[in-house]
Amino acid sequence: MSTTTTQTTESVPSTLKVESKHHEGFEQVAEGVSNITFGGDDLAYPYRKPEFKDKYEERKWVLEHTAAAFRYLARFNYQEGASGHISVRDPVDPHTFWINPLGRHFGLMRAKDLVHINEKGEVIGGNKHVVNAAGFQIHSEIHQARPDVNAAVHSHSIYGKAYSAFGKPLEMLNQDSTLFYKSHTVYNTFGGVVFENEEGKRLAKALGDNRCIILQNHGLLTTGSTVDEAAYLFGLMERTCQVQMIADQHPETKILIDEEEATYTAHMIADPESVHAEFAPEYEWELETSNGAFLFKDESYKTDAFW
C-alpha cells in the first residue's frame, strides 16, 4: 500500500526550500500569493466559504452546496444506480453528519432531501429516509477518524473504477495531477461491499492523513474541509484517471513531472482554499441552470425534520 501525507509548507523538503534551482524560497513567496487571486481585494462568496456567527445558517450553506455537489456529479455521469454518496459534517452538531437518501438521483438532489444521521447509524433529522448502508459504514468511520474532514465524496465513476483495477497511485503527468502529489494513497484490499464496520475502519485507516484514496477494484474517494473542495477533487481525480489511462497507452514516450516541480506546483495550487474556489464555477452553473431548485425555500434547516 502506498502511504503518503498531505502537502503542507512544513512538509516541503528542506533542500527545496534552500537549493531549489528554479523556485528558491518559494514557500515565503507563496504566503502572499494564492491560486485564486493576484492583487486586489479578497475574493468574496462563492470563491471562499463565508464566516458564520449562526451555526444554523452555516448548516443551510453546507447543505445547499452539498446538493449542488450531487448535481455536479450527475452532470458528468459519475453516478451508478443507487451507489455513491456524499457526506458532510453538521456544523451544529459536529459528531453527526448528513448524507444522501437511498435511491434519490444525484441530478435531482435538493438540500431538503439530505438525511441527518449520527455515529450509531440512527436517522435523527432532515429527510427521515433510509440511507445506503455501505455509505454509512464508509463515511462514519472517516468522519470519526479525521476531525479535519468535513466532507467526503465517493461514487462509482467510469474511469475511477477502471483505473482502480491497477491498484497503484496516480503519476505526476501534468499540472492538474499535482493536486494529488503526496496527498493520495491506495487501499489495496477489496473486501466486497462495505457492509461491515471493520471494513469501514480499515478503509479509514488506509486513508490515513491523505486527502484522497483509490479503492482497488472499487473506485475513488475524496475528502475536504468543505464539500466544495471534496467535490472538485472527485471530478478532477476522475479526469486524472482518464488522462492516466490515455497516457499509459504510450509508456515509452511518457515524461513525468520531476519531484521538485511537483512539490512546488502542489504547494502553490493544492491548498484547501484554492481547491474550494475551483468548485465555484460549478456551483454557479448548477444554481443558474436549476433556477435555484436545490436551495431551501423555508427555514426547515433549523428544525429536526424537513418533511
Side-chain angles (χ1 to χ4, degrees):
M1 183 186 300
S2 170
T3 302
T4 54
T5 55
T6 302
Q7 191 68 41
T8 64
T9 300
E10 291 72 21
S11 67
V12 174
S14 59
T15 53
L16 296 183
K17 292 183 180 181
V18 179
E19 302 174 5
S20 172
K21 295 178 182 178
H22 305 119
H23 311 292
E24 183 174 351
F26 71 77
E27 71 285 351
Q28 283 80 26
V29 174
E31 290 178 3
V33 179
S34 169
N35 185 42
I36 61 174
T37 183
F38 191 86
D41 297 331
D42 287 342
L43 288 174
Y45 172 86
Y47 294 93
R48 179 172 291 127
K49 181 181 177 180
E51 293 185 5
F52 294 93
K53 294 181 180 180
D54 185 335
K55 288 297 181 181
Y56 285 98
E57 290 301 319
E58 184 175 359
R59 172 189 282 178
K60 176 177 182 287
W61 185 95
V62 166
L63 298 185
E64 289 178 344
H65 279 244
T66 302
F70 276 110
R71 289 172 177 246
Y72 163 70
L73 295 188
R75 177 153 50 94
F76 290 98
N77 199 31
Y78 296 157
Q79 181 172 2
E80 184 65 62
S83 298
H85 7 85
I86 298 177
S87 66
V88 289
R89 192 183 300 276
D90 182 42
V92 179
D93 182 358
H95 295 292
T96 64
F97 63 94
W98 298 78
I99 197 166
N100 48 305
L102 182 66
R104 180 70 170 170
H105 194 282
F106 289 2
L108 299 176
M109 201 69 68
R110 298 165 297 179
K112 66 182 296 184
D113 292 323
L114 298 172
V115 182
H116 195 188
I117 196 165
N118 64 19
E119 294 175 345
K120 298 178 181 179
E122 299 168 337
V123 173
I124 58 175
N127 174 17
K128 294 188 175 182
H129 190 77
V130 295
V131 302
N132 185 301
F136 167 74
Q137 295 294 354
I138 293 172
H139 291 261
S140 63
E141 294 299 334
I142 289 174
H143 284 294
Q144 290 182 64
R146 292 282 300 277
D148 60 312
V149 167
N150 289 322
V153 178
H154 168 63
S155 194
H156 295 182
S157 52
I158 294 172
Y159 289 98
K161 288 189 291 186
Y163 186 72
S164 74
F166 295 102
K168 62 180 183 180
L170 294 162
E171 295 176 330
M172 297 300 102
L173 294 172
N174 51 64
Q175 176 175 301
D176 292 330
S177 65
T178 63
L179 268 77
F180 304 106
Y181 181 65
K182 292 190 175 182
S183 67
H184 79 290
T185 188
V186 178
Y187 179 45
N188 291 120
T189 302
F190 177 67
V193 179
V194 189
F195 287 153
E196 300 297 330
N197 178 258
E198 289 305 312
E199 179 68 2
K201 289 183 182 295
R202 286 191 291 268
L203 193 154
K205 183 178 180 180
L207 176 65
D209 294 328
N210 293 286
R211 205 180 206 174
C212 309
I213 186 168
I214 297 172
L215 311 176
Q216 184 176 299
N217 305 114
H218 190 165
L220 310 177
L221 186 146
T222 60
T223 69
S225 57
T226 64
V227 69
D228 305 57
E229 178 188 352
Y232 180 76
L233 284 172
F234 187 91
L236 181 63
M237 198 172 204
E238 167 72 3
R239 294 185 291 273
T240 302
C241 288
Q242 181 179 5
V243 170
Q244 179 81 59
M245 296 182 73
I246 294 171
D248 282 347
Q249 295 177 26
H250 302 282
E252 68 283 353
T253 57
K254 188 169 57 178
I255 300 172
L256 304 182
I257 297 174
D258 64 32
E259 182 177 356
E260 177 183 325
E261 300 301 338
T263 301
Y264 168 75
T265 307
H267 179 78
M268 296 299 287
I269 70 174
D271 61 283
E273 188 174 70
S274 293
V275 179
H276 170 97
E278 293 283 4
F279 188 70
E282 306 297 345
Y283 180 85
E284 290 183 328
W285 172 275
E286 298 301 336
L287 188 64
E288 180 76 18
T289 57
S290 72
N291 195 30
F294 57 86
L295 302 178
F296 281 108
K297 307 303 181 185
D298 53 30
E299 294 189 345
S300 58
Y301 56 89
K302 297 181 179 180
T303 66
D304 290 336
F306 296 162
W307 295 91

